[in-house]
Amino acid sequence: MSDNPDDVVRVASGDMVTMELHKQSLEEAGIQARVMGEALESSFGSAIPGSVELWVHRSDLERAEKIIRAI
């Protein structure tokens, strides 16, 4: 496993609305974030809990986790 700060890592998972809200909060703090798995949520609804994931660069992980915990 690489520890490259440019690698992307999962910072959170959950429903689409929550992940989009977290993404917005991270971007307001200057952290680039990407939501993945929206297609699964659209196809299966809430049948697959935690299917939507929020990813950030490894170098932003600690800061992103703090922001998400504070929400």
Side-chain angles (χ1 to χ4, degrees):
M1 178 167 5
S2 170
D3 286 330
N4 183 335
D6 290 329
D7 286 347
V8 290
V9 293
R10 186 179 74 168
V11 69
S13 64
D15 64 88
M16 185 167 38
V17 172
T18 301
M19 294 304 101
E20 287 292 342
L21 290 172
H22 288 337
K23 177 185 177 202
Q24 182 178 357
S25 295
L26 294 178
E27 289 180 342
E28 288 172 0
I31 297 173
Q32 186 179 19
R34 180 150 189 182
V35 175
M36 305 294 288
E38 299 103 322
L40 286 173
E41 181 99 350
S42 297
S43 298
F44 298 105
S46 60
I48 305 174
S51 62
V52 179
E53 300 176 336
L54 183 62
W55 291 70
V56 298
H57 287 281
R58 183 179 303 280
S59 59
D60 293 323
L61 179 61
E62 187 175 324
R63 208 166 121 229
E65 289 173 331
K66 286 179 183 177
I67 291 168
I68 290 171
R69 279 194 302 267
I71 296 174

